[in-house]
């Protein structure tokens, strides 16, 4: 029954509507309704209907005619309507709502805001049917599913004399699953079109009133997206959240067509109506998508079939593109319970901006599977506590094949990929790379440049970079990045160690700030050939001039840049030394030993010009540090990093000359008295058949452990084709294997890469070099065992179920052992003791989900980033308790105890040389106290 709610007791009806407006519906609401062919709908009476315009697209968009701020007084009056009106006729309610308003827009707005302010399911309406003359009767009908919001709006508009049509059709609402066939019954819905200012415009008061929240989805399970298994499988109750949604007041036809399909296409109010097939297949675009004025470039379908990888692309409005922030959620189609925990499939998503206005999302899959991808976003300039991320679009992605050799992307930073709002707010502009992804050259080298946008001098600001390897195991490679300030620009040089994907994270810090600010991140994809060495250690700060150079009057003449690339095995550095300061230059690098480095540098003074000639023994990266004695000891003046790569086309061809001397050269040159035996090469093995030139080159190369020169000399020796040189070649090649394996072992151990350590140890065994490399092998195996131990500790924490963590969190007054263990755990994660002394603060931290979840933070923790004094502080916090004492009161607490103990012991081993001089620290107060009360 469609109750009119206008009984005989209403005496004020004439004041509101001397002549009641018509009732319209796209279906025959009541048998007496008649068809208006012009309007493609049924009406209670055809009287005066022909004067109304037929359904057609509105002449202008909603934004042109409506600004909610201009109707705040109308909204307030409607929302504050007296409750007594519920027991009076609809005509009385409408009279109150429209009193004093002469325009239909204000009247319609008042009706919409009153309806959207009624929490129908929460109203205390008696189960017994109220009198039909009361407004409350219409709300009772809605609550008991005997009527709906569209019918209520239609009745209110009738008394306000605003033409209003009830439209019926299909809806992509809370029961809709992306890509499914639309069922006439399950997806049926009704909404309205109202005639305002001469145009028909849409209203959906139900969608504008409440939104279903927390409906448990039994078909999909959350892929770890910050909460991971912490939120998977939790029972979420179904409830309705009541608030006014502006999207469904006078909604534009294009936006409405994304979720509403009228049974009669004419009521789409579009020049080119959407077909039912297209409605089901087209991309599922949500309200926030239209609010932000986005455009979908590809794909146009909501279900995407992909072979290993898929790309989704959007266009952003140019005037607001930098004010938008985006995040994503990933769900996987549920399988059998025997499948086990989910992998981090969200790590196979890469979201970045190709330029200012193009947003690109690349998704790859290591498995054949079905996922639901949800993109959310917001305008970060909106200052409203109720405004947050909301859905933009949802896709169903079916991977029919997995991507070959598929590895996850590096962990996505909080501020996302590429230059963005954080870069601008930091006062920098990208000058070399504007997208979130950089493809390195064939050499694996790249240069990233930024310029200050405000013209300020950044030379004194702290800037740093991190390079992290992607894949299943994160690998910190910060010694593969150096930076400098040059000609007003901030420049980063990156040397990727090998093929793969890396995260380049860039930070800055103002004077006095304690926390670095992440201002930009890049995904670096390298397809290089071969491997690159790290830059020399100790050169992570800005290259080029230091503070001491300016005060001492030292100026670089020949090389003002702190980063030098050269093909010449010798370079000359010249400095102007006006104050005749005692200068010295140090050479360092993995390819040169300290005692050899001194012999590779010569120094001369020419008036006030100090000149250094530096020779590089082989290809590689070198560090040069100029120091000066200012009377207060030696201070740093200049730092250089030199990337030396000899051009093979320039190599001197010595083989023909050596061949010409073979017949006449029979004497063996003596080894210089100041040089030791050549690394195990026997004197008698380098016999009289070798020219002195090659013998000396091989001897020197072995002594200096210069594998490049040794390899070159061996190749030339082979080219001689002398049978008598076979033994010499074998010994030299054995030394080559020793040099290379030693270097690889040291690098793998330093970088703490379990996979590479295993591979190099395998190579050492195969080449039978374990005796020659005994010390390096022992160190590598020890590091391998320590990495395994850390992984075991991590696994124990990650396999804790959420119930166990919840049990720890539920303590009101935890046992002292549990409190201390959790304080130590959070200290290692960056929470000082003053934050965790009160248990309620620990409870809050343990209750966080997403990227702030305790298990997620432990999984992403970089052990090398933990300060030694903090690690010792965590050790001291649990020192008074044994594992058995903790286990007796909490099994979960015992797991965290083992993790803290194992991690702190590992950090003690890594810092054994300095541990005695470090004071344990658990509080942030100490730093402030030491600033206030300096110690001499």
């Amino acid at each position: 029954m469609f109750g009119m709610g206008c009984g005989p007791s209403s005496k004020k009806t004439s004041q509101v509507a001397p002549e009641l407006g018509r009732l319209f519906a796209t279906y025959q609401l009541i048998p007496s309704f008649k068809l208006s062919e012009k309007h493609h709908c049924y009406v209670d009476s055809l009287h005066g209907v022909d004067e109304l315009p037929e359904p057609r697209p509105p002449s202008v968009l909603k934004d042109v005619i409506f600004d909610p701020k201009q109707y705040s007084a109308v909204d307030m009056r409607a929302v504050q309507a007296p409750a007594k009106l519920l027991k009076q006729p609809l005509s009385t309610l409408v009279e109150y709502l429209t009193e004093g308003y002469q325009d239909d827009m204000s009247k319609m707005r008042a009706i919409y805001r009153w309806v959207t302010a009624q929490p129908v399911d929460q109203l205390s309406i008696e189960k017994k049917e109220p009198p039909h003359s009361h407004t409350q009767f219409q709300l009772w009908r809605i609550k008991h599913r005997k009527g709906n919001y569209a019918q209520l709006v239609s009745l209110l508009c009738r008394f306000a004399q605003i033409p209003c049509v009830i439209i019926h059709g299909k809806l992509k609402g809370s029961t809709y699953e992306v890509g499914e066939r639309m069922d006439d019954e399950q997806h049926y819905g009704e909404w309205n079109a109202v005639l305002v200012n001469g145009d028909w415009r849409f209203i959906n008061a139900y969608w504008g009133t409440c939104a279903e929240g927390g409906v448990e989805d039994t078909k999909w399970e959350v892929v770890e997206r910050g909460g991971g298994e912490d939120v998977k499988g939790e029972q979420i109750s179904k409830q309705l959240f009541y608030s006014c949604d502006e999207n469904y007041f006078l909604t534009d036809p294009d936006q409405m067509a994304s979720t509403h399909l009228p049974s009669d296409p004419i009521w789409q109010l579009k020049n080119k109506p959407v077909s039912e097939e297209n409605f089901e297949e087209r991309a599922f675009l949500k309200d926030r998508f239209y609010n932000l004025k986005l455009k979908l470039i590809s794909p146009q379908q909501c279900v995407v079939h992909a072979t290993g990888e898929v790309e989704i692309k959007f266009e952003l409005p140019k005037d607001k593109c930098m004010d938008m922030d985006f995040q994503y959620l990933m769900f996987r189609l549920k399988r059998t319970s025997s499948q086990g925990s989910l992998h981090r499939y969200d790590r196979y998503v890469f979201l970045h901006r190709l330029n200012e206005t193009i947003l690109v999302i690349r998704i790859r899959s290591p498995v054949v599977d079905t996922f639901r991808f949800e993109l959310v976003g917001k305008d970060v300039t909106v200052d409203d506590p109720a405004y947050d991320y909301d859905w933009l679009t949802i896709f169903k992605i079916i991977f029919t094949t997995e991507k070959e050799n598929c590895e996850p992307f590096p962990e996505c930073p909080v501020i996302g990929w590429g230059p963005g709002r954080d870069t601008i707010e930091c006062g920098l502009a990208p000058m070399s790379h504007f997208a979130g992804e950089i493809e390195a050259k064939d050499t694996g080298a790249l240069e990233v440049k930024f310029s200050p946008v405000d013209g300020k001098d950044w030379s004194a600001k702290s800037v740093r970079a991190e390079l992290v390897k992607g894949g299943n195991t994160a690998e910190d490679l910060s010694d593969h990045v150096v930076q400098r300030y040059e000609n007003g620009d901030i420049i980063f040089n990156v040397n990727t160690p090998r093929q793969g994907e890396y995260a380049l994270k860039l930070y800055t810090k103002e004077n006095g700030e304690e926390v670095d600010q992440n201002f930009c991140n890049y995904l670096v994809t390298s397809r290089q050939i071969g491997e690159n060495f790290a830059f020399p250690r100790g050169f992570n700060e800005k290259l080029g001039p230091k503070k001491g150079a300016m005060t001492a009057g030292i100026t670089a003449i020949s090389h003002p840049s702190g980063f030098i690339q050269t093909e010449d095995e010798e370079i000359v550095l010249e400095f102007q030394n006006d104050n005749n300061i005692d200068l010295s230059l140090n050479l360092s690098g993995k390819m040169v030993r300290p005692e050899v480095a001194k012999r590779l540098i010569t120094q001369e003074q020419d008036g006030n010009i100090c000149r250094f000639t530096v020779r590089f023994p082989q290809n590689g990266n070198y560090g040069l540090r100029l120091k000066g004695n200012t009377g207060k000891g030696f201070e740093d003046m200049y730092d250089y990093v030199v990337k030396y790569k000899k051009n093979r086309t320039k190599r001197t061809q010595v083989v023909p000359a050596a061949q010409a001397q073979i017949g006449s050269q029979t004497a063996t040159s003596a080894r210089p008295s100041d040089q030791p035996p050549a690394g195990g090469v026997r004197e008698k093995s380098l016999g009289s058949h070798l020219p002195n030139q090659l013998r000396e080159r091989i001897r020197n190369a072995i002594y200096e452990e210069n594998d490049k020169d040794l390899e070159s000399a061996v190749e030339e020796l082979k080219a001689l084709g002398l049978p008598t040189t076979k033994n010499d070649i074998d010994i030299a090649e054995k030394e080559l294997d020793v040099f290379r394996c030693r270097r690889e072992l040291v690098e793998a151990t330093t970088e703490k890469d379990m996979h590479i350590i295993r591979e190099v140890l395998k190579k050492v065994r195969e080449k039978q070099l374990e005796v020659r490399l005994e010390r390096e092998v022992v160190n590598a195996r020890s590091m391998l065992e320590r990495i395994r131990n850390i992984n075991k500790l991590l696994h124990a924490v990650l396999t804790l179920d959420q119930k166990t963590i919840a049990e720890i969190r539920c303590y009101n007054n935890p046992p002292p052992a549990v409190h201390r263990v959790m304080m130590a755990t959070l200290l290692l994660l960056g929470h000082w003791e003053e934050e965790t002394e009160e248990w309620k603060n620990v409870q809050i931290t343990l209750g966080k989900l997403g990227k702030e979840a305790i298990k997620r933070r432990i999984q992403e923790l970089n052990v090398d980033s933990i300060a030694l004094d903090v690690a010792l502080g965590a050790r001291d916090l649990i020192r008074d308790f044994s594992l058995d004492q903790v286990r007796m009161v909490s099994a979960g607490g015992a797991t965290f105890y083992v993790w803290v103990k194992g991690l702190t012991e590992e950090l003690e081993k890594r810092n054994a040389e300095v541990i005695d001089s470090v004071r344990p620290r658990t509080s942030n107060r100490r730093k402030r106290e030491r600033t206030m009360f300096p110690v001499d």
Side-chain angles (χ1 to χ4, degrees):
M1 174 183 176
F2 181 51
M4 296 298 181
C6 49
S9 62
S10 176
K11 298 181 180 179
K12 295 185 179 182
T13 301
S14 59
Q15 296 178 21
V16 178
E19 294 186 11
L20 289 175
R22 303 272 69 83
L23 288 173
F24 300 85
T26 55
Y27 61 97
Q28 199 164 9
L29 190 64
I30 295 176
S32 61
F33 275 31
K34 300 175 181 179
L35 178 65
S36 170
E37 295 184 359
K38 176 181 178 181
H39 301 94
H40 292 254
C41 63
Y42 293 87
V43 62
D44 59 344
S45 171
L46 294 175
H47 176 66
V49 170
D50 285 343
E51 300 174 5
L52 302 177
E54 68 275 10
R56 63 188 178 213
S59 56
V60 295
L61 296 178
K62 169 183 173 178
D63 288 348
V64 177
I65 64 167
F66 178 73
D67 180 358
K69 295 178 183 178
Q70 296 179 0
Y71 293 85
S72 57
V74 177
D75 290 357
M76 184 175 296
R77 177 176 170 79
V79 171
Q80 295 177 351
K84 64 181 182 181
L85 291 173
L86 294 178
K87 295 188 177 181
Q88 297 185 30
L90 282 177
S91 57
T92 304
L93 170 65
V94 173
E95 181 180 356
Y96 168 84
L97 294 176
T98 61
E99 183 179 0
Y101 303 140
Q102 303 300 318
D103 61 304
D104 287 348
M105 180 69 78
S106 296
K107 295 177 182 178
M108 193 65 244
R109 180 64 182 181
I111 291 172
Y112 182 78
R113 282 304 285 121
W114 180 85
V115 173
T116 55
Q118 307 306 309
V120 173
D121 279 13
Q122 299 172 10
L123 289 176
S124 56
I125 302 176
E126 296 181 2
K127 291 185 178 180
K128 186 177 67 175
E129 184 175 315
H132 289 202
S133 61
H134 288 182
T135 296
Q136 194 177 55
F137 170 65
Q138 301 301 331
L139 301 179
W140 178 87
R141 294 183 68 244
I142 294 173
K143 184 172 184 176
H144 291 84
R145 306 295 186 265
K146 298 178 183 293
N148 59 46
Y149 281 80
Q151 295 171 4
L152 172 59
V153 169
S154 178
L155 287 173
L156 295 173
C157 287
R158 185 188 192 197
F159 285 104
Q161 290 188 313
I162 298 175
C164 175
V165 178
I166 301 172
I167 302 173
H168 77 292
K170 296 178 182 178
L171 295 172
K172 290 182 178 179
S174 60
T175 61
Y176 170 70
E177 177 59 47
V178 178
E180 71 177 351
R181 302 291 297 178
M182 301 289 287
D183 180 81
D184 288 336
E185 183 175 342
Q186 184 180 2
H187 300 104
Y188 177 83
E190 295 184 9
W191 58 100
N192 300 105
V194 296
L195 188 64
V196 177
N197 295 348
D199 285 322
W200 291 102
R201 296 186 180 273
F202 293 117
I203 282 180
N204 188 331
Y206 176 63
W207 282 24
T209 299
C210 56
E212 281 190 343
V215 182
E216 183 185 6
D217 196 327
T218 59
K219 189 174 182 180
W220 300 91
E221 56 188 343
V222 179
V223 172
E224 292 183 8
R225 69 190 196 300
E229 294 176 41
D230 297 343
V231 296
K232 184 184 68 176
E234 291 182 358
Q235 295 297 317
I236 306 174
S237 61
K238 179 176 179 180
Q239 54 183 319
L240 292 176
F241 297 97
Y242 288 91
S243 64
C244 177
D245 191 337
E246 294 293 351
N247 284 290
Y248 298 102
F249 180 70
L250 312 183
T251 316
D252 290 325
D254 281 345
Q255 178 176 348
M256 206 69 169
S258 181
T259 51
H260 294 62
L261 183 71
S263 294
D264 190 331
I266 196 71
W267 278 105
Q268 292 183 33
L269 304 183
K270 290 172 63 70
N271 290 323
K272 295 182 179 180
V274 176
S275 68
E276 184 169 356
E277 182 181 6
N278 181 264
F279 180 73
E280 292 178 350
E281 294 178 353
R282 70 192 318 209
F284 187 28
L285 306 176
K286 305 284 280 183
D287 304 325
R288 182 64 61 81
F289 177 91
Y290 294 96
N291 297 157
L292 297 181
K293 295 181 170 54
L294 306 183
K295 294 180 181 178
L296 177 64
I297 298 175
S298 64
Q300 296 296 323
Q301 297 77 32
C302 61
V303 179
V304 182
H305 292 80
T307 55
E309 187 165 303
V310 65
E311 186 174 85
I312 305 172
K313 192 177 294 186
F314 300 89
E315 182 179 347
L316 317 180
K318 192 168 185 179
D319 60 330
K320 291 287 290 181
C321 59
M322 300 309 294
D323 295 333
M324 297 180 187
D325 190 44
F326 304 94
Q327 295 185 15
Y328 62 86
L329 306 172
M330 280 281 284
F331 298 82
R332 189 182 72 168
L333 194 64
K334 281 190 177 180
R335 307 297 185 185
T336 60
S337 58
S338 62
Q339 192 174 14
S341 61
L342 290 170
H343 299 293
R344 290 290 309 283
Y345 286 152
D346 63 312
R347 283 274 308 278
Y348 295 87
V349 180
F350 174 57
L351 183 152
H352 77 120
R353 300 190 189 206
L354 197 60
N355 53 45
E356 283 188 348
T357 60
I358 302 298
L359 179 71
V360 176
I361 301 145
R362 200 159 77 242
I363 307 171
R364 60 173 66 143
S365 179
V367 294
V368 175
D369 213 332
T370 300
F371 297 89
R372 190 173 79 205
F373 175 81
E374 302 181 356
L375 183 67
V376 299
K378 70 175 182 178
D379 181 343
V380 297
T381 64
V382 176
D383 187 16
D384 182 351
Y387 182 84
D388 204 347
Y389 291 95
D390 203 351
W391 280 278
L392 300 172
T393 182
I394 301 175
F395 289 95
K396 181 178 181 180
I397 304 175
I398 303 171
F399 287 100
T400 55
T401 61
E402 70 271 17
K403 184 176 177 64
E404 187 176 357
N405 300 321
C406 184
E407 284 197 340
F409 292 104
E411 187 74 37
C412 180
V414 174
I415 68 169
W417 299 104
R421 189 175 181 85
D422 293 89
T423 314
I424 295 172
E425 290 178 349
C426 196
L428 294 173
M431 301 301 293
S432 58
H433 299 86
F434 305 93
E437 183 175 16
I438 304 175
E439 186 165 326
K441 302 174 183 177
D442 291 342
T443 60
L446 61 96
E447 187 170 275
V448 181
K449 185 183 295 186
F450 293 85
S451 284
V453 295
D454 51 11
K456 290 184 179 179
D457 181 7
W458 273 63
S459 59
K461 290 192 179 182
S462 174
V463 180
R464 69 179 182 88
E466 292 179 1
L467 187 69
V468 181
K469 177 71 171 68
N472 293 304
T473 304
E475 178 183 358
D476 185 5
L477 301 165
S478 295
D479 54 356
H480 281 260
V481 189
V482 292
Q483 40 122 345
R484 66 190 190 276
Y485 182 75
E486 191 172 294
N487 298 324
D489 293 329
I490 299 170
I491 304 170
F492 300 89
N493 286 93
V494 182
N495 216 22
T496 56
R498 50 192 173 274
Q499 283 191 5
E501 292 174 335
Y502 302 83
L504 176 61
K505 303 178 181 180
L506 307 178
Y507 300 86
T508 184
K509 183 168 62 176
E510 296 284 352
N511 292 333
E513 292 183 348
E514 292 189 5
V515 181
D516 289 355
Q517 177 185 351
N518 181 206
F519 68 85
C520 190
N521 306 284
Y522 291 102
L523 173 71
V524 178
T525 302
S526 175
R527 293 180 172 82
Q528 69 197 66
I529 300 171
E531 295 189 12
N532 287 326
F533 298 128
F535 292 114
R537 291 189 179 276
F539 289 80
N540 288 4
E541 295 185 1
K542 285 194 185 82
L543 302 177
K546 302 297 180 181
K547 289 182 180 178
M550 185 177 298
T551 57
I554 305 297
T555 305
I557 300 174
S558 59
H559 295 80
S561 173
F563 187 75
I564 303 172
Q565 300 187 73
T566 182
E567 295 179 353
D568 300 321
E569 63 183 31
E570 280 189 0
I571 64 169
V572 178
L573 298 177
E574 291 183 334
F575 299 92
Q576 185 168 326
N577 184 6
D578 292 334
N579 296 323
N580 198 27
I581 289 175
D582 183 17
L583 298 177
S584 66
L585 187 68
N586 298 329
L587 173 66
S588 61
K590 289 186 177 180
M591 307 303 170
V592 58
R593 291 181 295 179
E595 61 271 20
V596 176
K598 296 177 182 179
R599 297 201 296 270
L600 298 174
I601 299 175
T602 58
Q603 178 178 357
E604 58 181 312
Q605 190 77 26
D606 183 7
N608 65 346
I609 303 299
C610 185
R611 186 177 295 111
F612 295 92
T613 302
V614 186
R615 183 168 66 88
F616 304 111
Q618 60 179 312
N619 289 346
N621 300 317
Y622 298 88
L624 291 171
R625 177 160 290 153
L626 181 71
K627 291 179 173 287
N629 190 348
T630 60
K632 300 178 181 179
F634 278 90
E635 296 182 29
D636 292 345
M637 300 291 169
Y638 269 83
D639 275 358
Y640 292 94
V641 164
V642 182
K643 190 171 184 179
Y644 166 57
K645 186 174 183 181
K646 186 174 182 179
N647 191 334
R648 292 185 179 273
T649 61
K650 296 183 179 180
R651 179 178 297 168
T652 303
Q653 301 297 322
V654 300
V655 173
Q659 288 176 326
Q661 298 175 20
I662 289 176
S664 60
Q665 187 70 40
T666 57
T668 303
S669 62
R671 174 175 52 85
S673 59
D674 64 337
Q675 291 189 11
V681 177
R682 294 170 296 174
E683 183 71 24
K684 64 180 181 179
S685 68
L686 299 178
S688 60
H689 296 287
L690 284 176
N692 287 338
Q693 187 179 16
L694 285 181
R695 293 181 74 248
E696 197 63 31
R697 282 186 60 193
I698 291 176
R699 190 185 305 279
N700 288 337
I702 292 175
Y703 174 62
E704 295 177 358
E705 296 188 3
N706 188 329
D707 57 336
K708 297 296 182 183
D709 278 1
L710 182 57
E711 182 181 11
S712 175
V714 170
E715 289 176 359
E716 293 170 14
L717 188 59
K718 288 180 179 179
L720 296 176
L722 298 175
T724 55
T725 62
K726 182 179 183 305
N727 190 44
D728 304 304
I729 292 172
D730 289 344
I731 293 174
E733 288 185 333
K734 187 77 169 180
E735 292 303 311
L736 270 176
D737 286 339
V738 172
F739 296 164
R740 290 167 177 166
C741 288
R742 176 182 288 122
R743 185 178 67 248
E744 291 175 9
L745 271 177
V746 171
E747 287 183 351
T749 304
T750 303
E751 294 175 1
K752 306 175 186 68
D753 189 307
M754 178 182 288
H755 174 71
I756 297 178
I757 292 175
R758 285 174 177 160
E759 290 298 315
V760 179
L761 285 174
K762 180 181 178 183
K763 184 191 295 187
V764 170
R765 287 195 302 271
E766 292 173 349
K767 292 183 177 295
Q768 299 180 347
L769 298 177
E770 290 177 296
V771 175
R772 290 289 306 276
L773 300 173
E774 181 179 3
R775 179 168 57 87
E776 290 83 0
V777 168
V778 169
N779 291 340
R781 287 175 176 167
S782 174
M783 179 56 70
L784 192 62
E785 185 58 34
R786 284 155 58 185
I787 295 172
R788 287 178 181 144
N789 184 46
I790 290 177
N791 289 342
K792 288 179 183 177
L793 299 174
L794 177 62
H795 179 73
V797 173
L798 296 182
T799 53
L800 281 175
D801 58 30
Q802 188 62 20
K803 184 183 294 184
T804 302
I805 296 177
E807 288 175 358
I808 297 175
R809 185 185 171 211
C810 286
Y811 280 119
N812 289 325
N813 294 299
V818 173
H819 194 170
R820 279 300 185 95
V821 166
M822 299 317 299
M823 286 176 69
T825 301
L826 296 179
L827 179 63
L828 294 176
L829 295 176
H831 298 270
W832 296 110
E833 183 178 359
E834 50 263 36
E835 299 176 57
T836 56
E837 286 175 326
E838 292 191 29
W839 179 249
K840 66 178 182 180
N841 293 334
V842 177
Q843 290 176 307
I844 292 171
T845 305
L846 292 179
K848 291 184 177 180
L849 300 175
K851 291 186 177 180
E852 294 299 316
I854 185 77
K855 288 167 59 177
R856 176 73 171 269
R857 292 176 63 191
I858 289 175
Q859 182 180 13
E860 297 175 354
L861 179 65
N862 179 3
V863 178
D864 291 325
S865 69
I866 303 173
L868 179 58
D869 58 349
V870 171
L872 297 180
R875 176 201 64 186
D876 289 352
L877 282 172
I878 64 171
R879 174 174 283 170
D880 295 336
F881 302 99
S882 67
L883 175 60
D884 288 338
Q885 288 175 309
V886 180
R887 187 183 287 123
M888 287 178 64
V889 294
S890 172
T895 301
F896 287 109
Y897 175 92
V898 172
W899 180 75
V900 172
K901 189 172 180 61
L903 213 59
T904 54
E905 288 176 351
E906 169 62 21
L907 287 165
E908 288 183 66
K909 292 176 183 177
R910 294 188 184 185
N911 299 275
E913 296 178 358
V914 298
I915 195 169
D916 293 334
S917 62
V918 177
R919 175 184 169 192
R921 182 180 178 196
T922 60
S923 173
N924 198 29
R925 301 187 189 106
R926 198 178 88 201
K927 184 172 183 180
R928 295 195 292 270
E929 290 166 357
R930 294 176 73 178
T931 303
M932 295 169 62
F933 306 103
V935 178
D936 293 334

